[in-house]
Amino acid sequence: MPKETEYAIEVENLTKRYGDLLAVNDISFTVRRGEVFAFLGPNGAGKTTTVEIIDTIRTPTSGKVTLLGMDVTKKKHDIVPRIGVLPQGFSSFDRITVRETLQYYSRLFCCANTDIDELIELVNLKDKTKEQYMNLSGGLKQRLGIAIALVNDPEVVFLDEPTTGLDPRARREVWEVLLGLKKKGKTVFLTTHYMEEAELLADTVAIISKGKIIAMGSPGELIESNANYLALTLHSVDERTFEIVRKMGFEPIHDNHKNIKVRVEHTDDVQKILNAIKSAGALYLSLDVRKPNLEEVFLKLTGEALREDPPEMEAK
Amino acid sequence: MNLRIISANLVVKLTSFYREKSAMLFTIAFPIILILVFGTIFMSQDNVSYHLCVQDLDQTNSSAQAVKTLELSGTFKITRVDPAVNATRYVIENQVNLVLIIPKGYESSLMQRMTLNDFKASVTITYIYDPSSSSVATKMQILNAVLAGMNQEMSGYPPFIRSVQTSILTKKYRFIDYFVPGIIAMSVMTLSLFGTVNLNTELRQKGVIRKLSTTPITRTDWILSNILYQFILAVISTIAMLLVSYAVFEVNLHIDAWLLAFILLDVFAFVGIGMILTRFVKEAQSAAAAANAISFPMMFLSGSFFPIELMPGFLQTLAKTLPLYYVNEGLRASMVFEDNMAALRYSMVIGVFVVVVFILGIIATQWEEGK
């Protein structure tokens, strides 16, 4: 029997090369049992390569990965029945219905007494059980994919970009399902390039960029230690406001909607800025003040935006 | 090997097949159409009846009798041409390839010969023909033979040389009987090869294979369920072809366990080749092209459609290196000649080929990604 440790996943000095390309560069981290661990990073950062090495789809170039106390390169046979995987760009058999698909996957796992109805309930596909896979919308396909990943009641669930390509509503529906998993106490390894997703779901977030982990901790810790300020945004300002704020010693930045953003240390500073604008007779339409989020943490750590494009919308 | 996993795969594949109407069409209708089209062509060759235009310029009882004799020979369907028209123009305008002209004075010459024994008396029958027609030469040869027979009869002597035909087969077989086993071999090849290539490249491209690699299913389970699935399709397809062959052409074929054995060998061989192709061709479209590049020469060179004896020597040698040749010959040995020893020989050759290709196919099938 492999030794049971408090960690579900232990990764030591993991490296993966594809020819000249160094996709994962000597990373180490651990995932505790029962936590939701999110790998956050832009496309091409090495998220999928890492998760596919851990869930036994790929083999590492060097380094050691231990999953549930077993070496992933040597014990695939023993590991597979105890994990559930939703691979990136998941797809299934076109003409097989939702229920048949779940029955098929549960038969692949030995002795899995899957309660198909319970799974269907969990991912909220009750009305679609007789629908063929090809007729499902993107969000429904992903939810079915998550249900498939759960057919063997796995101890660790890997979800590789479960909401990429979904519209905001479908994404929130997938989040509902993932929050349900979290409640059940499953260990979940999630990759995403949506910071809201990581912030909402994850106990621990590892930010990955160019094959390296550049920061790791709970979303609160990451924000606290990397972005300890308030972000003040003034909407539809007139031309003088920017100068007024700059002369006060702050560093305002313009965005393309005639808004300016200012980082301030304390709430007092907000008051000071507003007073200065008021006394100068300058104008703004509205304002908001908020704590920074992981997006800003990422921007600060890497100097680049987490995603260049707004999330793709899906027609269906 | 895990039977529960294999049967789960089989259920999914057969369900998909049943729901995909175009696959059903390709599997069942296509081979049947081939049999119907080629069968009809060959049947008409077995039982030829030529269309013949005759212009009787003599218009006497004797000349009418001669035309009747031609008609009674059974080989010709006679159309009588008006003596007033120009025969050459008639050939061109009516798109017929031959008009036979009985000259004026036929009866008087005949009388001279028969009653006066005047051996100088004779008539000349003229063939007005279109040399660009491919069947006209055969038609004239047959006509010559029929006319020779009529001449011989008139002479009043019994013929000296007679002929009798003895087939090497105990039963009477027609070309369609040789053709059906060839079509079975070819259809099973096409189904297995394209089925394997299409299914695997599609599932790989869509990422289904990647998902499967995170379940307990092994490469062997996957391949075996593939084989079993292709075998079931091959049997369905063969049954459809045989039913049509019996119902429409009343073929005379011997069916025993060899038929199943050769279908199985055929499936193994071409699923194996399909697996090797899938390994090297990444895109679904180019995979289909590669499968075509393999199956087309195989179809024409290994004697599925016509006997390889008709081909030049080096092509015959080439044919004997093709696996489909041995399936064709094996099926004919068992279904037509009922020669178990020959069937065994052919099955052993294809058997060795199957083992080699199949091992290569298993090695070639990639399950985990990105080594």
Side-chain angles (χ1 to χ4, degrees), chain A residues 96-316:
Chain A
I96 302 299
T97 66
V98 167
R99 178 177 289 279
E100 288 164 348
T101 304
L102 286 168
Q103 280 162 347
Y104 167 72
Y105 278 99
S106 86
R107 287 183 73 191
L108 294 187
F109 289 92
C110 173
C111 327
N113 295 320
T114 322
D115 187 341
I116 304 278
D117 291 312
E118 190 191 320
L119 276 180
I120 288 171
E121 187 97 31
L122 178 73
V123 296
N124 206 2
L125 281 174
K126 237 177 163 177
D127 308 335
K128 303 283 178 183
T129 51
K130 286 183 181 155
E131 202 71 67
Q132 291 179 15
Y133 179 78
M134 58 191 283
N135 298 328
L136 298 177
S137 70
L140 298 183
K141 282 178 178 169
Q142 285 301 90
R143 271 146 62 185
L144 175 60
I146 293 170
I148 292 171
L150 299 172
V151 288
N152 53 330
D153 194 19
E155 292 163 58
V156 186
V157 186
F158 294 89
L159 305 167
D160 193 359
E161 304 207 359
T163 62
T164 296
L166 302 185
D167 63 47
R169 202 179 119 204
R171 182 173 306 144
R172 261 190 294 280
E173 283 169 359
V174 170
W175 288 348
E176 295 287 320
V177 174
L178 298 187
L179 284 168
L181 281 189
K182 192 173 171 169
K183 246 186 236 164
K184 289 179 94 178
K186 298 269 180 210
T187 309
V188 178
F189 191 110
L190 173 79
T191 76
T192 181
H193 57 242
Y194 299 122
M195 61 86 198
E196 316 93 283
E197 194 163 300
E199 217 167 312
L200 177 73
L201 299 169
D203 300 308
T204 306
V205 176
I207 296 179
I208 181 167
S209 170
K210 293 171 185 159
K212 278 271 187 201
I213 291 179
I214 51 176
M216 193 157 74
S218 71
E221 282 164 14
L222 283 173
I223 293 165
E224 196 66 34
S225 56
N226 291 291
N228 193 12
Y229 54 79
L230 293 171
L232 165 66
T233 308
L234 295 164
H235 301 277
S236 300
V237 296
D238 67 9
E239 283 136 31
R240 284 177 298 162
T241 313
F242 187 84
E243 273 307 301
I244 294 164
V245 178
R246 202 177 61 80
K247 280 181 181 155
M248 291 174 74
F250 296 103
E251 289 175 4
I253 45 173
H254 264 297
D255 73 9
N256 49 6
H257 297 294
K258 283 182 138 186
N259 302 339
I260 61 173
K261 287 184 175 175
V262 194
R263 283 184 189 178
V264 295
E265 300 287 329
H266 305 290
T267 41
D268 293 354
D269 294 334
V270 176
Q271 200 59 53
K272 276 185 208 156
I273 290 173
L274 296 182
N275 285 341
I277 293 172
K278 192 178 180 188
S279 56
L283 294 171
Y284 60 90
L285 191 66
S286 62
L287 68 91
D288 69 58
V289 183
R290 57 175 181 78
K291 296 277 285 176
N293 57 29
L294 286 175
E295 185 112 42
E296 274 133 353
V297 172
F298 188 85
L299 189 67
K300 185 190 166 216
L301 289 170
T302 65
E304 54 185 296
L306 195 51
R307 53 171 195 262
E308 295 82 34
D309 306 310
E312 312 134 54
M313 289 300 191
E314 186 143 325
K316 214 171 170 185

Side-chain angles (χ1 to χ4, degrees), chain A residues 16 52 57-59 76 80 85 88-89 91-92 94-96 100 104-105 107-110 132 148, chain B residues 4-5 7-9 12 15-16 19-20 203 206 208 210-216 368-371:
Chain A
K16 176 71 180 181
E52 288 190 349
I57 294 178
R58 289 174 195 277
T59 49
K76 178 178 171 110
V80 160
V85 180
Q88 193 178 118
S91 181
S92 188
D94 273 344
R95 290 174 197 274
I96 302 299
E100 288 164 348
Y104 167 72
Y105 278 99
R107 287 183 73 191
L108 294 187
F109 289 92
C110 173
Q132 291 179 15
I148 292 171
Chain B
R4 181 177 34 86
I5 291 180
S7 71
N9 270 307
V12 160
T15 311
S16 299
R19 288 176 186 161
E20 167 100 51
L203 292 182
K206 286 172 65 187
V208 177
R210 183 161 47 173
K211 167 67 204 179
L212 288 176
S213 78
T214 66
T215 68
E368 288 96 7
E369 288 183 49
K371 292 288 173 194

Side-chain angles (χ1 to χ4, degrees), chain B residues 53-203:
Chain B
C53 299
V54 177
Q55 188 178 41
D56 179 6
L57 299 178
D58 199 41
Q59 295 289 325
T60 57
N61 281 339
S62 303
S63 62
Q65 186 61 44
V67 177
K68 200 95 197 142
T69 312
L70 278 176
E71 205 163 19
L72 288 175
S73 75
T75 318
F76 298 108
K77 278 199 190 105
I78 309 280
T79 303
R80 289 175 173 78
V81 180
D82 183 355
V85 304
N86 177 320
T88 309
R89 285 198 68 91
Y90 184 86
V91 167
I92 296 167
E93 283 169 6
N94 292 284
Q95 295 192 334
V96 295
N97 54 17
L98 181 79
V99 174
L100 180 146
I101 304 176
I102 298 174
K104 211 167 171 55
Y106 175 86
E107 190 176 54
S108 58
S109 298
L110 183 68
M111 286 305 157
Q112 224 170 325
R113 166 71 72 101
M114 299 295 278
T115 53
L116 306 174
N117 268 340
D118 179 359
F119 289 106
K120 283 182 191 142
S122 69
V123 290
T124 304
I125 302 281
T126 312
Y127 303 151
I128 305 285
Y129 73 103
D130 173 6
S132 67
S133 160
S134 60
S135 66
V136 78
T138 323
K139 210 191 249 187
M140 288 196 291
Q141 269 178 10
I142 297 171
L143 266 177
N144 284 340
V146 173
L147 295 178
M150 286 163 75
N151 274 331
Q152 202 270 327
E153 201 138 303
M154 275 181 223
S155 73
Y157 294 108
F160 173 63
I161 299 181
R162 298 166 189 270
S163 62
V164 65
Q165 295 172 356
T166 307
S167 167
I168 56 162
L169 301 171
T170 48
K171 295 186 203 160
K172 186 173 176 351
Y173 285 95
R174 294 161 305 162
F175 198 87
I176 184 84
D177 299 326
Y178 296 86
F179 180 70
V180 170
I183 292 296
I184 291 175
M186 189 210 73
S187 305
V188 172
M189 167 188 82
T190 324
L191 276 179
S192 305
L193 184 62
F194 283 85
T196 306
V197 167
N198 291 344
L199 191 74
N200 284 320
T201 44
E202 191 198 327
L203 292 182

Side-chain angles (χ1 to χ4, degrees), chain B residues 207-245:
Chain B
V208 177
I209 300 274
R210 183 161 47 173
K211 167 67 204 179
L212 288 176
S213 78
T214 66
T215 68
I217 182 172
T218 62
R219 200 162 59 167
T220 321
D221 294 336
W222 178 251
I223 291 168
L224 280 176
S225 56
N226 246 343
I227 296 265
L228 215 55
Y229 167 67
Q230 297 296 351
F231 180 66
I232 291 172
L233 293 199
V235 169
I236 293 174
S237 179
T238 304
I239 290 173
M241 284 186 276
L242 284 175
L243 285 179
V244 169
S245 305

